Amino acid sequence: GAGVSQTPSNKVTEKGKYVELRCDPISGHTALYWYRQSLGQGPEFLIYFQGTGAADDSGLPNDRFFAVRPEGSVSTLKIQRTERGDSAVYLCASSPLLSTGELFFGEGSRLTVL
Amino acid sequence: DQQVKQNSPSLSVQEGRISILNCDYTNSMFDYFLWYKKYPAEGPTFLISISSIKDKNEDGRFTVFLNKSAKHLSLHIVPSQPGDSAVYFCAASRGGSYIPTFGRGTSLIVHP
């Protein structure tokens, strides 16, 4: 399809394990965003890419979280030494260069840390 | 410290009537205000936005009103339809990167 694609849709892991979540944005969109949504909350900003570089990573909660976008298209969010509090839906979104906040979201990756 | 607040977690409306969803914000630097709609197991989808230089924007059944002095915006849906039942997120962005900040959402249920 032509929308934002996220894999896996569901991931169950054990505390302390390493997890990777993948996002394939809409073709041609230069901006890519990661958000996290916990139960009963709105999407919480994590990191924003403009092209290959992380233009704003101020939302990453700690150094266990890292994201890359090496070729300016697909992005991977990496979580080390997962904790139960990391359980949430991780949303990826993309937008054209000149966006005033209108983002195109994927369906999300639901992460459960046991 | 929530910069975008949606104080009503849920709203129930009868089909055909008006739905009014409210949102307050604290940061006067926001330039754009947006509403997103989210169905279960799907990502949010953009619905409508308004620039801070305007006080009203209309798109079909959806109208967003902005009151800058009160730091308040609202989304009006007229007439409401059962398919409008979803969670509605208010969001705001500001110049530079325009990264939207979201509220907690309001769950709208439209009864047939």
Side-chain angles (χ1 to χ4, degrees):
Chain A
V4 176
S5 176
Q6 292 188 246
T7 55
S9 55
N10 275 287
K11 176 70 177 179
V12 180
T13 191
E14 293 180 344
K15 180 175 178 290
K17 298 290 188 182
Y18 171 80
V19 165
E20 287 190 355
L21 306 175
R22 175 189 166 108
C23 174
D24 199 341
I26 292 172
S27 177
H29 281 187
T30 57
L32 185 145
Y33 310 74
W34 283 98
Y35 282 81
R36 175 170 72 174
Q37 186 176 11
S38 301
L39 195 62
Q41 305 293 318
E44 173 193 8
F45 169 72
L46 296 177
I47 187 170
Y48 157 66
F49 288 89
Q50 190 60 260
T52 60
D56 187 338
D57 65 357
S58 61
L60 294 178
N62 51 60
D63 61 5
R64 295 187 297 105
F65 288 76
F66 190 71
V68 295
R69 194 186 185 199
E71 297 178 357
S73 179
V74 172
S75 176
T76 304
L77 178 66
K78 308 181 180 194
I79 310 173
Q80 298 178 323
R81 304 183 303 280
T82 52
E83 299 178 357
R84 292 194 180 89
D86 298 336
S87 297
V89 175
Y90 289 81
L91 294 164
C92 176
S94 68
S95 73
L97 178 62
L98 298 175
S99 170
T100 52
E102 180 182 343
L103 309 186
F104 297 81
F105 281 89
E107 294 186 347
S109 292
R110 178 176 295 278
L111 175 65
T112 303
V113 182
L114 302 177
Chain B
D1 178 31
Q2 278 216 303
Q3 297 187 64
V4 178
K5 301 177 184 179
Q6 295 178 258
N7 294 320
S8 298
S10 64
L11 175 67
S12 182
V13 171
Q14 194 167 10
E15 181 179 8
R17 307 295 287 267
I18 184 171
S19 294
I20 300 176
L21 296 99
N22 293 302
C23 177
D24 298 293
Y25 62 95
T26 58
N27 190 339
S28 58
M29 300 296 288
F30 286 135
D31 292 318
Y32 279 87
F33 303 89
L34 311 100
W35 286 93
Y36 282 79
K37 177 179 179 179
K38 185 183 183 303
Y39 292 118
E42 295 184 10
T45 57
F46 169 77
L47 188 58
I48 190 169
S49 66
I50 186 168
S51 163
S52 61
I53 63 173
K54 296 186 176 181
D55 56 17
K56 177 183 175 181
N57 187 28
E58 187 174 352
D59 184 1
R61 296 185 297 113
F62 303 90
T63 303
V64 56
F65 295 92
L66 175 63
N67 182 335
K68 282 180 61 179
S69 61
K71 293 191 176 68
H72 177 84
L73 64 153
S74 60
L75 174 68
H76 293 211
I77 307 173
V78 183
S80 302
Q81 299 173 354
D84 295 330
S85 297
V87 177
Y88 289 79
F89 291 103
C90 174
S93 67
R94 62 179 187 173
S97 59
Y98 287 105
I99 299 171
T101 298
F102 286 82
R104 290 187 176 184
T106 296
S107 177
L108 173 66
I109 300 172
V110 180
H111 297 284

